[in-house]
């Protein structure tokens, strides 16, 4: 049995490395993670459904996963803490070629519908139940994240995907317009926050590694700033780290993803409240569970690294978060 121990910090992606992971690779390539004492090993996932179990069991230090899956994991006894957001409300729904002539949920009768994992099936089954469509009148097919390939092969007629990813893939590969029935609109949620992508760790790892979590978030803060403000440079870094992404298709996906990157990296209380209630509606989370108990913004930097000091020491609105905060001079009070 080996006694070798690594000093690397492991990070599990929620899929193969792709455009919406760009800030993570920017932080690594720029050396900003190493500046924080973090030698990060980025791991790709063959099956996205494995991520919550692998991270939750402590087999990997940190990872990323959609908000709804973080909550649903809790109901399975997997304790995760979300300490930030990388992708904010990417529109998600059932994508299809326009030639399928799907206009609404009634048009899904008799269709083969692809889903990623267990909870995708639960969401679609619930929508069909709301519409009064029995399970005998449609077929659910598990295709993982390969919805585009499954549609092109004719295995499914429609499937769950992101508007900024699989929808673009299908447009490019099929050569025809692609439609989408957004799940948030069909359910009247008012936002597509259930598919926001979170930074997560097991509760145990999170509690025992606060300095590392803080360093990781400082590096990601810098990387997100660069990705949003200098997207061409960020995409060049991503393609050098992952040469297979250097194609017109993935470049288009990256461009379409830019509006959904989380500028502030913050967990959003409104979203956790709404998604938690949605999970309770789907019966994948106990009604008495407080969904706002499994996330924190405590370690999210409020700003990046300023390039110049403020004209007035401490800034015109000095605060505890100011990187140039100063201690006021004591004032003498005459007796």
């Amino acid at each position: 049995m080996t006694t070798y121990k690594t000093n690397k910090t492991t990070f599990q992606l929620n899929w193969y490395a792709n455009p919406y992971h760009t800030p993570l690779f920017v932080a690594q390539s720029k050396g900003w993670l190493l500046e924080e004492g973090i030698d990060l090993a980025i791991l790709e996932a063959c099956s996205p459904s494995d991520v919550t179990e692998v991270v939750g069991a402590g087999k990997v230090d940190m990872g990323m996963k959609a908000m709804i899956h973080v909550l649903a994991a809790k109901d399975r006894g997997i304790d995760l803490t979300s300490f930030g957001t990388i992708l904010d409300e990417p529109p998600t729904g059932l994508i299809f070629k326009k030639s399928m002539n799907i206009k609404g949920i009634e048009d899904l009768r008799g269709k083969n519908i692809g889903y990623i994992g267990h909870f995708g099936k639960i969401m679609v089954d619930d929508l069909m139940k709301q519409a009064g469509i029995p399970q005998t009148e449609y077929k659910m097919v598990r295709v993982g994240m390969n919805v585009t390939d499954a549609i092109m092969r004719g295995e499914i007629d429609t499937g769950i995907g992101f508007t900024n990813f699989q929808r673009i893939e299908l447009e490019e590969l099929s050569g025809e317009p692609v439609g989408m029935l957004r799940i948030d609109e069909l359910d009247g949620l008012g936002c597509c926050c259930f598919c926001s992508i979170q930074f997560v760790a097991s509760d145990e790892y999170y509690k025992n590694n606060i300095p590392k979590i803080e360093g990781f978030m400082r590096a990601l803060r810098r990387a997100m700033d660069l990705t949003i403000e200098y997207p061409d440079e960020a995409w060049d870094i991503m393609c050098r780290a992952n040469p297979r992404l250097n194609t017109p298709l993935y470049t288009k996906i990256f461009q379409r993803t830019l509006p959904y990157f989380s500028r502030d990296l913050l967990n959003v209380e409104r979203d956790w409240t709404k998604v938690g209630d949605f999970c309770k509606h789907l019966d994948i989370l106990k009604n008495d569970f407080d969904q706002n108990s499994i996330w924190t913004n405590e370690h999210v930097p409020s700003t990046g690294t300023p390039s110049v000091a403020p004209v007035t020491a401490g800034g015109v609105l000095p605060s505890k978060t100011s990187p140039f905060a100063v201690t006021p001079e004591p004032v003498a009070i005459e007796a």
Side-chain angles (χ1 to χ4, degrees), residues 17-19 22 25-26 29 231-252 254:
N18 69 68
T22 296
F25 283 88
V26 169
S29 298
D232 291 342
E233 180 183 350
W235 184 237
D236 180 65
I237 290 170
M238 185 64 176
C239 289
R240 280 189 275 116
N242 302 274
R244 59 181 171 74
L245 298 181
N246 192 15
T247 68
L249 173 59
Y250 282 118
T251 299
K252 187 174 183 179
F254 173 71

Side-chain angles (χ1 to χ4, degrees), residues 18-30 32 85-87 199 219-239 251 253-265 304:
N18 69 68
Y20 66 76
H21 298 140
T22 296
L24 189 65
F25 283 88
V26 169
Q28 184 184 57
S29 298
K30 283 286 189 179
W32 294 332
T85 302
I86 187 170
L87 206 62
F199 293 118
L220 262 294
R221 165 78 279 160
R222 297 170 70 181
M224 185 63 80
D225 286 346
L226 186 145
T227 301
I228 292 174
E229 295 173 16
Y230 304 97
D232 291 342
E233 180 183 350
W235 184 237
D236 180 65
I237 290 170
M238 185 64 176
C239 289
T251 299
I253 291 172
F254 173 71
Q255 292 168 346
R256 295 284 185 89
T257 298
L258 282 170
Y260 304 110
F261 281 125
S262 175
R263 182 67 194 241
D264 56 19
L265 302 178

Side-chain angles (χ1 to χ4, degrees), residues 58-202:
K59 301 297 184 182
V60 174
D61 299 326
M62 296 182 279
M64 59 173 65
K65 196 64 178 169
M67 185 182 291
I68 193 168
H69 293 125
V70 178
L71 284 163
K74 189 70 177 181
D75 204 47
R76 297 163 57 203
I78 301 173
D79 298 324
L80 299 172
T81 296
S82 169
F83 52 88
T85 302
I86 187 170
L87 206 62
D88 197 16
E89 296 188 38
T92 306
L94 295 167
I95 62 171
F96 47 84
K97 294 184 289 185
K98 281 295 183 71
S99 58
M100 290 302 301
N101 200 33
I102 295 174
K103 306 294 183 183
I105 196 164
E106 283 292 330
D107 298 318
L108 298 180
R109 291 180 187 271
K111 298 293 192 293
N112 291 335
I113 304 171
Y115 65 96
I116 299 170
H118 177 61
F119 304 113
K121 181 180 186 302
I122 290 175
M123 285 192 288
V124 173
D125 283 341
D126 178 71
L127 283 170
M128 300 298 260
K129 181 179 179 181
Q130 292 179 50
I133 302 174
Q135 293 186 12
T136 55
E137 294 190 18
Y138 64 96
K139 182 180 179 181
M140 297 298 296
V141 181
R142 185 165 184 163
V143 297
M145 298 294 278
N146 302 313
V147 60
T148 305
D149 291 339
I151 291 176
M152 293 300 297
R153 289 193 301 266
E155 295 176 3
I156 59 174
D157 302 300
T158 181
I160 297 174
F162 282 174
T163 193
N164 57 307
F165 202 108
Q166 289 87 354
R167 186 176 187 176
I168 296 171
E169 277 187 324
L170 188 56
E171 286 176 348
E172 293 291 317
L173 294 175
S174 69
E176 65 173 283
V178 171
M180 170 184 276
L181 296 178
R182 285 178 52 160
I183 292 174
D184 61 311
E185 294 178 349
L186 292 172
D187 271 313
L189 298 178
C191 74
C192 210
C193 41
F194 64 89
C195 272
S196 293
I197 307 297
Q198 315 302 133
F199 293 118
V200 297
S202 69

